[in-house]
Structure formats: structure tokens, C-alpha cells
Amino acid sequence: MVSALPAMAQEPPAAAPPSAQKAEEATPKPSSMTIIDSGTIVEILKSDLVLLDNNKRYRLDNIRIPLYYDSFALDELKNNFLNKQVNIYTYHKPEELTDRYGVPLVHVMGEGGNWIQGHLVSKGFAWATSTETSRRMVGTLKDAEE
């Protein structure tokens, strides 16, 4: 017997309740990682891919954005991070952990300590995910999902 999946909502997810916002503020950030770059985000290429003013591309590590929320995540990134100064963090050398196109998988921290991955997950636009080589921040992101 196959059950039907529930219909998808036609509205973006609601803003996080105040308790979730407090949890997001208390969420550990990738400060224990090494900063490998910094600059201004000049373009949001995809909902998980940013371009800095030094012409370097970085893919957001440890998150997956469901197709349905892709446009909402893009808007969220553009509204909150476009033309903002960021630091790029990783546990690895940039060439050691890349996507299939050779783009480094990283964590991005914006102005005021706003962690992009934590922001997207806590707003409901992304899910925490891991790979066998990248799982240190997944627990923290899973907490933000709650």
C-alpha cells in the first residue's frame, strides 16, 4: 500500500519563533575553523554558491537546499548577505574538500557573526547534511533545525 505524500505548502516557511531565534544566536559558530579567505559577496550564484569580490567561488558546506525552497533561499541570501563582508572558514585546505567542479566546500560567516549555514537552516530553507569527510558542524546545524 502506497500512501500519498502531503501537498507542499505554497508559501515560504514562516519566520522562526522567538525561541528559535534565541537558539540561533546561541548556536556555536565555525570560529574553531581556519579562515582561508575574506571579502565581499558580490554575487549569489546559486542557493549554496557565492562569489566574492576577489573572483573566488565557494560552496556552502553541510547544507542541502530542497528544490522547493531554492528560490526562497536565494532571496534570503540576497537580502541578508549580498554586498556584505564575510570570512570563509574550513577545517581542510581549500583544495582538499571540494565539490565535483573543484569549488571549495566552506562555512561562511557574515558581518556581526551571522553564519550563513546556520541562518538558512534555522529559517527552514536548508537541511543539515554531512559527508564522510565533512561532518563536524552537522550536529550544530541539526540543533538549529530544531
Side-chain angles (χ1 to χ4, degrees):
M1 180 171 165
V2 177
S3 63
L5 294 174
M8 295 296 286
Q10 296 303 311
E11 298 177 17
S19 60
Q21 290 172 352
K22 287 180 185 175
E24 179 183 355
E25 292 168 6
T27 301
K29 305 296 190 275
S31 57
S32 61
M33 295 183 196
T34 303
I35 294 178
I36 59 166
D37 200 358
S38 35
T40 301
I41 295 178
V42 294
E43 192 172 350
I44 308 293
L45 301 168
K46 292 179 68 177
S47 56
D48 65 348
L49 185 65
V50 298
L51 177 68
L52 297 188
D53 56 350
N54 60 9
N55 210 31
K56 291 184 181 175
R57 297 169 189 233
Y58 293 101
R59 185 158 317 270
L60 303 177
D61 195 14
N62 294 128
I63 62 168
R64 170 171 259 155
I65 298 168
L67 184 59
Y68 179 77
Y69 292 120
D70 188 66
S71 63
F72 300 121
L74 272 169
D75 289 343
E76 188 71 15
L77 288 172
K78 288 177 182 176
N79 291 333
N80 291 287
F81 297 98
L82 187 61
N83 299 317
K84 303 285 173 113
Q85 181 72 27
V86 296
N87 290 324
I88 307 297
Y89 293 85
T90 187
Y91 286 110
H92 307 275
K93 293 180 181 175
E95 63 277 3
E96 289 178 355
L97 188 60
T98 64
D99 67 9
R100 63 184 170 174
Y101 304 107
V103 176
L105 296 167
V106 300
H107 287 267
V108 182
M109 179 83 73
E111 296 172 340
N114 198 359
W115 179 30
I116 289 182
Q117 282 93 323
H119 180 88
L120 289 174
V121 167
S122 69
K123 297 282 185 178
F125 297 118
W127 299 329
T129 187
S130 70
T131 65
E132 61 187 54
T133 58
S134 177
R135 54 182 159 239
R136 284 186 176 167
M137 297 305 290
V138 174
T140 303
L141 287 168
K142 286 282 189 190
D143 291 343
E145 279 182 347
E146 299 297 320

